[in-house]
Amino acid sequence: MNLNIDQRKIMDDWYYNEFRQSGIDFENESEVAEYDEKYRNNRNLDNEAKYIIELLELNNNSIVFEIGTGTGELAIRLSKLCKHINACDISKTMVNHAFKKAINEKIINITFSHSGFLNFEIIPNYFDAIITQLALHHLPDFWKSVAINRMVKTLKPGGKLFLLDSLFSFECASYEEVINRNIEQAKNKMGLRIANEIAVNIKDEYPTYNWIIEGLFIKNGLKIIRKTRHTELMSSYLCIKV
Ligand SMILES: C[S@@+](CC[C@H](N)C(=O)[O-])C[C@H]1O[C@@H](n2cnc3c(N)ncnc32)[C@H](O)[C@@H]1O
């Protein structure tokens, strides 16, 4: 953002501080060091990358932006196929961790930055695709809208957005039963730690309903191409800038 000092000061009074951690503290060194291990048995990152590459039709000309890259696992996989990846995260610890991993693998086509949805530099109509997984729920709903608006600006016309996140597809009135059941199932299938994280996600972060995120996509100039409901608490969307 190129603002003069007076404008910046006015904005500072109301602009959301996305660098303040909400819920799980991803600046914490041990949280970051254990992150990949924690999901090793519950996620297949090769399959995730393959699915995203096919869905977004990425190729060796693609310029891709990953927001909330975390430990950089997806960015690193995509960098082996795509022309360039920009990857950002509001956690310095995460960015440093991901950067070191990429250096170890001698990858030179990823630019990492310590930034987030609300502060990345908007290069108008630049990216072929934006990918964000399990990160947007750290912003309250109004700021999710600002984030989507900014992502649309930096996407090329016809560019694609892939979002996977804590998005609730259950009926509003059934929240208690659905949440308790899902936490219980997570405890049995994935262990206490992940079950506790689902509870923290609901209590201290900002998951929202599918119908809210769909409204935000449409109001900000995106067309929903595909919606996948993974569980009652998690969905993904493929959208295109119209
Ligand atoms: C649950 S992790 C997900 C990491 C990775 N995308 C994955 O799928 O494993 C959430 C990540 O989002 C980052 N994050 C939180 N708020 C953010 C924001 N406003 N902008 C960008 N990243 C953010 C956190 O620092 C953390 O690394």
Side-chain angles (χ1 to χ4, degrees):
M1 258 182 272
N2 289 323
L3 298 176
N4 66 36
I5 292 165
D6 286 342
Q7 281 175 313
R8 181 76 248 179
K9 194 175 173 321
I10 292 165
M11 239 175 138
D12 282 348
D13 288 343
W14 59 266
Y15 206 70
Y16 190 78
N17 177 9
E18 64 176 337
F19 294 97
R20 189 179 47 208
Q21 294 287 319
S22 59
I24 297 170
D25 180 5
F26 289 111
E27 283 296 5
N28 183 291
E29 291 282 353
S30 55
E31 190 65 57
V32 173
E34 291 166 13
Y35 188 85
D36 291 338
E37 194 50 42
K38 187 172 68 182
Y39 288 109
R40 201 167 300 284
N41 297 327
N42 304 312
R43 281 176 87 170
N44 183 328
L45 290 159
D46 287 335
N47 282 354
E48 272 181 35
K50 190 167 174 282
Y51 174 75
I52 287 170
I53 287 167
E54 284 172 10
L55 188 67
L56 277 73
E57 298 175 296
L58 301 178
N59 57 46
N60 56 8
N61 284 319
S62 302
I63 301 179
V64 176
F65 188 18
E66 191 195 8
I67 308 180
T69 190
T71 58
E73 287 288 322
L74 179 68
I76 287 172
R77 282 170 173 79
L78 299 183
S79 73
K80 293 174 183 165
L81 172 84
C82 300
K83 186 170 179 186
H84 198 87
I85 313 290
N86 285 40
C88 76
D89 201 289
I90 53 131
S91 156
K92 249 189 201 150
T93 319
M94 281 292 198
V95 174
N96 288 340
H97 187 87
F99 179 70
K100 281 184 201 148
K101 249 191 221 175
I103 294 287
N104 282 342
E105 291 203 33
K106 300 191 172 30
I107 289 165
I108 53 164
N109 62 338
I110 307 181
T111 305
F112 287 101
S113 56
H114 178 225
S115 190
F117 293 104
L118 304 179
N119 283 283
F120 69 79
E121 187 194 352
I122 296 175
I123 312 170
N125 306 319
Y126 182 70
F127 290 102
D128 296 296
I130 298 180
I131 298 162
T132 181
Q133 300 203 96
L134 307 173
L136 192 64
H137 67 266
H138 286 280
L139 296 180
D141 283 357
F142 167 70
W143 294 101
K144 287 189 186 76
S145 177
V146 174
I148 294 168
N149 190 273
R150 301 183 87 250
M151 291 192 275
V152 170
K153 283 185 177 135
T154 203
L155 269 179
K156 282 181 185 164
K160 292 166 186 160
L161 168 69
F162 177 77
L163 168 90
L164 167 83
D165 216 332
S166 316
L167 295 165
F168 297 165
S169 50
F170 53 80
E171 292 300 323
C172 298
S174 61
Y175 70 94
E176 231 172 324
E177 183 271 318
V178 172
I179 289 170
N180 282 328
R181 175 163 43 75
N182 275 272
I183 291 179
E184 199 50 39
Q185 280 168 358
K187 209 184 286 176
N188 297 333
K189 277 196 204 151
M190 298 184 277
L192 196 57
R193 184 162 183 189
I194 304 270
N196 284 341
E197 288 193 359
I198 295 174
V200 170
N201 170 263
I202 292 163
K203 187 157 61 101
D204 297 328
E205 299 172 355
Y206 306 95
T208 195
Y209 284 109
N210 290 55
W211 48 269
I212 292 180
I213 205 79
E214 286 167 19
L216 298 182
F217 286 147
I218 293 161
K219 291 279 183 193
N220 282 294
L222 291 169
K223 184 174 172 198
I224 300 167
I225 301 293
R226 188 192 289 205
K227 165 181 176 175
T228 309
R229 185 178 168 279
H230 301 276
T231 69
E232 286 162 300
L233 307 184
M234 171 113 37
S235 291
S236 64
Y237 287 86
L238 173 67
C239 301
I240 190 160
K241 175 173 170 178
V242 287

